Each structure stands twice: as structure tokens, then as C-alpha cells.
Amino acid sequence: MPFTPQEIHSLPTVLSAPRLATYLAEKASDKEAALELYRWNMEVSAAFFVPLQICEVSVRNSIFSAIENTYGANWPWEKGFEISLRNPQRGYSPRRDLTDLARRLPTAGKIVAELKFVFWERMFTLSHDKTIWNSQLMTVFPNADPAKTVQQLRGEGFDKLQKIRDLRNRIAHHEPIFRRNVQHEYDRIRSIVAWTDLTAADWLDKVETVTAMSAHKP
């Protein structure tokens, strides 16, 4: 749907000059073309929420199962698990994230729902290989490539989750993603879902709209 003259006049002010500048630079200062790109960026960002949701839920449930299989049903309160988590003084601390929630919430299920995405990403670090991943990775991610070692797969998982989280954060902060290959971003998300369940990954292909939108970037 074309923009009206009034929309072309008013929307840049509403969106703000600094925010629209990135789009104007991409479209050689053509205001209408920049607004069209902004709309596409907004709509494809919204479309990503479906695959991002399925990815986050599936990966955290699989990692949760691996932790529970290792440390038992009360893993959030297990000292052995707590001290296995990194606790840097600056930046994000998985240990503080967990212990803060464990003090306030009564069940592991509620804690799982509240832990940050970065917590699950940081579970794919070398420090958890011996206790968790050497025995659990292929159990909770049965469709991961069996030709690769646990260390290769765990490293691949960390890299993918880091990139997925970066995309998620940019979308959450209404930042441009139009310079990214959105099809590759979707394929990365799908591949993590497929590690856990191929049927779920195939179903995601049916319901997602990112792929269709990627072919219509203005």
C-alpha cells in the first residue's frame, strides 16, 4: 500500500530523524523508499517472534532436561550446580541470575520460565562438558550431527545461540535488521529447533512468514 503525502510528511517526524537516517542512507535520501524499507523491517521483525519463541522454548526445555538429568529435580538449589556456573563481577552472571530466582520462586518450572535467554546460551560453555554435555548432549538433542564431537556440537550451539540472541535483542530494541540475510537468520533458528525435534522444525516451516517476506525486501 503506497504512503499518502501526509504520511510521507508526518512519519519521519514521529519516527525521529536519527532513527530514519539509517534507512535514508540506504535509499539515497528517498524519503518514501526509506519509509517503505522501515515498514518492511518492522514487519519482518514482528514475523521473527514466532520462530524465536519456538526456538527459545525448545532449547531451554532441552537444556533444562540435561541439567535435571545430571543434578536432579531440585537442581536450582543444588550447590554443585550453583558453583559450576560462572560468576563474573562485571556483566551477566549465570550464578547470580539463578540464585536470585531460586530465593524468590518455589519451583524449578517457574525458575526455567524466568531465566534469561543468555543463561541458556552460557550453558553451552566448556566448563559444563564433563558434568553435563559429554553424557547428555545427544540425549536431549537427538538430531544433532552424530559425526561431530560433543565439543564441536556444544561450541556450535553456543555460537548459534549467541547470534540468535543478538538478533532477538535488536528486534526487541526496534533496531534495523534489513542489512542481515534474514533467510540465514531463520535457518539458524530452525536448525536449533531441529536438534530437539524434526517434526517441530517442519511445523515451524509451515507457520513462519519470514521466508516469504525475505523475497519481498524493498
Side-chain angles (χ1 to χ4, degrees):
M1 183 182 298
F3 289 94
T4 67
Q6 187 60 40
E7 288 167 344
I8 294 171
H9 173 75
S10 297
L11 286 173
T13 302
V14 172
L15 298 174
S16 81
R19 179 169 291 277
L20 195 59
T22 303
Y23 300 86
L24 285 167
E26 187 73 11
K27 293 298 182 180
S29 297
D30 183 322
K31 194 178 291 185
E32 185 171 6
L35 287 171
E36 189 62 46
L37 181 59
Y38 187 93
R39 177 169 61 188
W40 180 86
N41 189 89
M42 181 174 59
E43 291 173 348
V44 78
S45 294
F48 264 113
F49 272 104
V50 170
L52 284 170
Q53 180 185 112
I54 299 303
C55 178
E56 182 167 359
V57 171
S58 69
V59 78
R60 80 185 187 192
N61 286 343
S62 293
I63 296 174
F64 155 64
S65 294
I67 298 170
E68 187 174 57
N69 291 345
T70 304
Y71 291 96
N74 291 320
W75 59 269
W77 301 275
E78 277 291 327
K79 200 67 178 176
F81 180 58
E82 178 187 325
I83 63 176
S84 77
L85 299 172
R86 294 184 178 183
N87 187 33
Q89 294 304 304
R90 296 183 179 180
Y92 175 74
S93 165
R95 189 183 301 177
R96 286 196 300 273
D97 194 7
L98 177 67
T99 55
D100 287 349
L101 291 171
R103 279 194 294 267
R104 297 188 285 107
L105 299 175
T107 67
K110 290 184 180 296
I111 291 169
V112 167
E114 292 295 326
L115 283 165
K116 295 178 178 64
F117 190 98
V118 66
F119 178 89
W120 308 110
E121 172 195 309
R122 298 295 169 84
M123 287 302 302
F124 277 123
T125 54
L126 176 65
S127 59
H128 297 294
D129 278 1
K130 185 176 180 180
T131 52
I132 297 177
W133 297 124
N134 286 345
S135 62
Q136 292 297 318
L137 194 141
M138 295 307 297
T139 299
V140 299
F141 295 112
N143 302 309
D145 187 351
K148 296 180 179 179
T149 66
V150 166
Q151 288 69 37
Q152 287 173 324
L153 290 169
R154 188 260 309 146
E156 182 180 319
F158 180 85
D159 180 66
K160 287 184 175 182
L161 286 188
Q162 196 170 50
K163 288 181 170 66
I164 291 167
R165 182 169 62 87
D166 178 67
L167 174 70
R168 176 180 180 268
N169 289 347
R170 289 193 67 80
I171 289 172
H173 290 95
H174 318 302
E175 296 293 335
I177 62 169
F178 64 82
R179 290 192 178 120
R180 297 178 178 228
N181 186 319
V182 296
Q183 187 60 54
H184 287 177
E185 298 284 357
Y186 171 73
D187 291 343
R188 181 182 296 118
I189 292 168
R190 186 197 186 280
S191 70
I192 288 291
V193 176
W195 269 18
T196 299
D197 193 284
L198 294 173
T199 299
D202 290 341
W203 175 79
L204 184 56
D205 286 337
K206 294 179 182 178
V207 300
E208 63 87 20
T209 57
V210 172
T211 297
M213 293 189 67
S214 69
H216 297 96
K217 177 183 172 182

